[in-house]
Amino acid sequence: MASTESASKDPLKEFYIPDYIFFPSPKADQVSGTPTCPVLVFINSKSGGQLGGELLITYRSLLNKNQVFDLGEETPDVVLRRLFVTLEKLKLSGDELALKIQERLRLIVAGGDGTAGWLLSVVSDLKLSHPPPIATVPLGTGNNLPFAFGWGKKNPGTDRESVISFLNQVKKANEMKIDSWHIVLRMKAPKEGVCDPIAPLELPHSLHAFHRVAPSDELNKEGCHTFRGGFWNYFSMGMDAQVSYAFHSERKLHPEKFKNQLVNQKTYAKLGCTQGWFSASLVHRSSRNIVQFAKVKVMKNTGEWQDLNVPSYIRSIVCLNLPSFSGGFNPWGTPNWKKVRDRDLTPPYVDDGLLEIVGFRDAWHGLVLLAPNGHGTRLAQARRIKFEFRKGAARETFMRIDGEPWKQPLPVDDDTVVVEISALGQVKMLAVENCKSKSVYDPSTPVRHEVEEGDSSDEEEGRKFGAADTFRMPDEVDISHLS
């Protein structure tokens, strides 16, 4: 480490975590000075073409290389397990610096929405009493998470000045809580053939937590295949997910063609045309419209399921947690006072325990989002939503969680498929001032929608994403008391 004198002149010392925090040694007492904004950086080196790798090199040159991690080499649950165990041991030995670092720690994750969702899921699973807030660097194609919290949607610069500028923004950023959502996918075991989701078990990041539940899991139901997972940004089903699936399939087959964000976005638009999303009324069978093969139910504040009236023309449904979808659009918009009064609708707060449910008939319908105050077909706001698929109506549909799509087989005979989404918990994000995301508790927001106390059950509080299944604290450390 640099000398105390040179370090005092280096503004980067504000973010620096000394070696002994990662590798405790008897020389720890030689460290002087306390970082005001210690950061842990996670980078998906494969995101953004070569940009992820370049960003990794720059961060490691500016900070302690031991506080910058390549997600292709180490998973976040392993890293955080090691760090928090070490911090806890140092705190117990009376180390004041370890205490300050844990209190002030901020996380940075660079990658696509799937990568960001992965880290958020891990932090959520750890159940820390004071979890560190998270800033997101946009390195993907959609970048909805970074955009919603003011970090932009274009790939950032990877040079020294750009990274230092971003670090300074992280230091000044505000903390904002964000809801997380639990999803259960249950299918009756078919008499013959396979009824598992085709792609989620192969997909990275956000869907790596989407897995089959164990026989001992409370969600397991005899005679059924049950999968569980979670999301932060959105769950969508229908033609938009079909286009996304085609894009991901193409990128998997020809990764060399997807090295540039602009090229990726153009390819995505082209696939939207070839998949019929812009000419759905001509090439899309009406039997594949949502209402023809799925029954949708919602739960508001009453605790009772209600049938959701979905217009017959809707070919895609999006369940939104953030006011950002498909590269930064806000499908919900801001309802005017008449809608608020007559339909009890609110702006899309990120911490109110409600999902915004929006429908689209085709890509042209989606273009209304380009207009001022444009929005999709507002269907409902709900604390829970359930999709029950009709047998024989269609052989498959497409689903997407936070940018990661898959092809979902549907019941053919007497089998059933049910998807149920419910509130799970919250984590802290870092937000730039005047960002798109708004809190229900912010007095400057135009309309408040009070969250009922005691709405979540004890059963929900015990759930997790499964993103940190490899996270195991030693027996002598009680993670519930980590601060």
Side-chain angles (χ1 to χ4, degrees):
M1 193 175 95
S3 68
T4 304
E5 182 179 356
S6 61
S8 64
K9 298 179 181 178
D10 183 3
L12 290 173
K13 71 174 185 177
E14 296 180 287
F15 311 101
Y16 196 92
I17 300 178
D19 270 338
Y20 91 93
I21 295 295
F22 302 99
F23 311 104
S25 70
K27 298 181 180 181
D29 58 352
Q30 296 181 6
V31 177
S32 62
T34 303
T36 56
C37 182
V39 296
L40 214 60
V41 185
F42 296 92
I43 298 175
N44 182 350
S45 59
K46 296 182 179 179
S47 287
Q50 73 275 14
L51 295 182
E54 293 174 2
L55 206 58
L56 187 71
I57 293 171
T58 304
Y59 269 101
R60 284 179 172 171
S61 71
L62 294 172
L63 304 173
N64 183 344
K65 65 179 181 180
N66 292 312
Q67 71 188 93
V68 182
F69 300 90
D70 183 351
L71 289 171
E73 298 175 357
E74 283 196 278
T75 59
D77 50 318
V78 173
V79 171
L80 291 174
R81 172 193 186 276
R82 187 169 63 236
L83 176 66
F84 278 99
V85 168
T86 301
L87 287 173
E88 185 66 14
K89 289 179 178 178
L90 289 170
K91 283 168 51 185
L92 292 174
S93 69
D95 190 304
E96 290 294 325
L97 180 57
L99 175 63
K100 293 297 183 183
I101 286 176
Q102 187 165 328
E103 289 176 345
R104 301 172 181 179
L105 183 65
R106 296 190 162 195
L107 306 183
I108 296 173
V109 57
D113 284 329
T115 304
W118 183 16
L119 182 62
L120 266 65
S121 301
V122 168
V123 172
S124 175
D125 282 353
L126 301 191
K127 306 295 184 187
L128 298 171
S129 57
H130 298 288
I134 302 164
T136 54
V137 182
L139 279 185
T141 302
N143 299 318
N144 290 294
L145 266 166
F147 183 73
F149 293 94
W151 301 106
K153 57 183 177 180
K154 294 183 179 180
N155 293 157
T158 60
D159 58 283
R160 178 185 176 91
E161 289 73 23
S162 296
V163 170
I164 291 176
S165 175
F166 188 88
L167 285 170
N168 286 324
Q169 280 187 294
V170 169
K171 181 178 65 175
K172 295 182 291 185
N174 301 314
E175 293 185 12
M176 181 183 292
K177 288 188 176 180
I178 173 179
D179 293 327
S180 64
W181 295 88
H182 183 254
I183 180 169
V184 173
L185 172 61
R186 180 174 285 122
M187 297 155 285
K188 185 175 179 181
K191 295 177 181 177
E192 58 183 28
V194 179
C195 197
D196 283 356
I198 294 176
L201 301 182
E202 301 173 2
L203 287 173
H205 312 318
S206 65
L207 283 186
H208 90 291
F210 206 118
H211 60 92
R212 187 191 300 269
V213 303
S216 58
D217 194 297
E218 62 181 13
L219 290 174
N220 185 56
K221 187 175 180 181
E222 188 176 354
C224 293
H225 299 315
T226 304
F227 293 80
R228 70 188 305 176
F231 66 94
W232 303 91
N233 193 346
Y234 65 86
F235 166 84
S236 69
M237 179 183 68
M239 282 205 74
D240 76 291
Q242 178 179 334
V243 175
S244 180
Y245 182 78
F247 174 83
H248 278 256
S249 299
E250 185 73 14
R251 184 166 61 179
K252 200 171 184 178
L253 287 173
H254 305 287
E256 70 282 357
K257 297 180 180 179
F258 295 82
K259 298 292 186 181
N260 178 279
Q261 186 185 48
L262 183 59
V263 172
N264 291 355
Q265 291 170 342
K266 288 181 177 179
T267 302
Y268 201 100
K270 181 180 178 181
L271 285 170
C273 295
T274 59
Q275 292 291 312
W277 190 212
F278 281 92
S279 54
S281 59
L282 300 176
V283 303
H284 183 87
R285 299 192 305 274
S286 61
S287 63
R288 295 186 66 85
N289 292 3
I290 301 295
V291 72
Q292 298 298 323
F293 67 87
K295 190 174 188 179
V296 186
K297 296 184 177 182
V298 296
M299 185 182 293
K300 298 184 179 179
N301 293 326
T302 62
E304 297 179 357
W305 288 108
Q306 303 172 17
D307 289 338
L308 181 63
N309 181 25
V310 180
S312 60
Y313 58 79
I314 294 297
R315 299 182 178 93
S316 178
I317 282 184
V318 183
C319 302
L320 286 159
N321 187 41
L322 303 182
S324 179
F325 175 75
S326 191
F329 294 119
N330 179 5
W332 187 255
T334 303
N336 61 36
W337 68 272
K338 290 185 179 180
K339 295 291 178 66
V340 171
R341 181 194 63 190
D342 299 339
R343 296 185 58 191
D344 190 30
L345 301 180
T346 75
Y349 302 121
V350 299
D351 56 356
D352 59 356
L354 293 173
L355 279 174
E356 282 70 45
I357 306 167
V358 185
F360 291 96
R361 63 175 178 268
D362 53 26
W364 295 111
H365 187 189
L367 291 180
V368 302
L369 302 179
L370 294 172
N373 302 319
H375 60 84
T377 301
R378 298 186 185 115
L379 299 176
Q381 286 175 304
R383 300 191 182 281
R384 306 181 78 163
I385 181 170
K386 183 190 295 183
F387 298 89
E388 298 175 342
F389 295 92
R390 308 177 194 279
K391 61 183 179 183
R395 297 189 63 87
E396 63 191 29
T397 188
F398 294 85
M399 299 179 182
R400 182 163 57 145
I401 292 179
D402 288 354
E404 306 282 1
W406 75 94
K407 185 191 297 183
Q408 175 60 51
L410 295 179
V412 177
D413 189 10
D414 59 349
D415 309 324
T416 58
V417 175
V418 175
V419 172
E420 185 172 338
I421 299 170
S422 57
L424 175 62
Q426 293 182 327
V427 297
K428 296 176 185 175
M429 297 294 293
L430 287 170
V432 175
E433 192 173 359
N434 298 321
C435 67
K436 297 289 185 182
S437 294
K438 302 298 179 185
S439 169
V440 69
Y441 301 106
D442 183 351
S444 67
T445 52
V447 181
R448 289 178 64 84
H449 186 102
E450 298 298 336
V451 181
E452 293 186 357
E453 294 184 1
D455 189 63
S456 60
S457 65
D458 292 338
E459 178 186 24
E460 289 173 345
E461 290 177 0
R463 294 176 181 173
K464 63 177 184 176
F465 284 91
D469 273 350
T470 57
F471 184 93
R472 294 290 182 271
M473 278 289 186
D475 293 338
E476 67 270 17
V477 177
D478 184 358
I479 192 170
S480 65
H481 293 100
L482 296 185
S483 57

